[in-house]
Amino acid sequence: MSETSVETIEEIKEIEEVKEDAIIENPYPLKKISSKDVFIFSTILKQIGYSELKECFHSDDVKKLIRKPGASSVDEIGLSIMLDISTVVISNLASAEDSIYQLLSHLSGKTKAEIANLDAEIFIAMIIDVFKQDGFINFFKAVAKLLK
């Protein structure tokens, strides 16, 4: 291989590393999730199939893995459960679209139309920011109790 080819390959690798390190940040600060958000968040959970998610932990595949001779690893069982959860959420996500826009609109001060027209990277960053908020886990647990 010529020296120029090696240099080009190295340049491409450097560019790819920079792209991997570049994280899109949410440019819109979000208000802290509050009691006003309980109602819309419970709607979102119902729409994405919260009741179906509980069944993922008791599926026939999980039961087979648990009973499997040689005792399946926790990782294998966990992967099976995560795949089931992903399937449920992805298959129901479209039904929660408007409610997700409504929640993000309330938290960001932007309109639902503005939220709907955001770049995908920023939209995802906003969703991640909601999940990262202090107190979100406790908020989620409280809302989940309402759905039992």
Side-chain angles (χ1 to χ4, degrees):
M1 204 183 297
S2 73
E3 193 172 310
T4 306
S5 297
V6 172
E7 288 173 2
T8 304
I9 291 171
E10 291 302 317
E11 287 174 5
I12 292 171
K13 285 181 182 179
E14 286 177 22
I15 291 170
E16 287 175 353
E17 287 174 10
V18 169
K19 283 183 183 177
E20 287 176 11
D21 291 339
I23 297 173
I24 301 293
E25 291 189 26
N26 172 17
Y28 308 109
L30 301 177
K31 294 188 291 189
K32 186 175 181 191
I33 204 158
S34 68
S35 59
K36 285 185 174 183
D37 304 308
V38 167
F39 306 103
I40 188 63
F41 199 78
S42 62
T43 301
I44 291 169
L45 286 177
K46 285 180 187 177
Q47 291 169 329
I48 63 168
Y50 179 78
S51 59
E52 296 172 60
L53 294 178
K54 294 187 275 185
E55 296 171 21
C56 295
F57 294 91
H58 305 289
S59 72
D60 290 338
D61 289 341
V62 170
K63 290 175 183 175
K64 285 177 189 175
L65 287 172
I66 291 171
R67 290 187 295 243
K68 185 176 171 183
S72 298
S73 74
V74 172
D75 289 342
E76 190 176 358
I77 294 168
L79 180 60
S80 176
I81 291 170
M82 287 308 299
L83 288 173
D84 289 346
I85 288 172
S86 298
T87 301
V88 169
V89 170
I90 290 169
S91 65
N92 293 320
L93 192 59
S95 63
E97 180 181 9
D98 191 60
S99 298
I100 292 169
Y101 294 156
Q102 184 179 348
L103 177 67
L104 292 177
S105 171
H106 176 255
L107 295 175
S108 69
K110 299 222 148 283
T111 67
K112 286 181 6 180
E114 289 172 319
I115 298 293
N117 290 308
L118 287 171
D119 288 341
E121 296 88 1
I122 293 172
F123 178 74
I124 299 296
M126 287 179 85
I127 292 172
I128 290 169
D129 284 354
V130 170
F131 290 116
K132 286 178 157 183
Q133 282 189 5
D134 288 338
F136 178 79
I137 298 296
N138 291 333
F139 174 84
F140 181 84
K141 287 178 185 177
V143 172
K145 284 181 185 178
L146 293 174
L147 300 175
K148 287 185 179 182

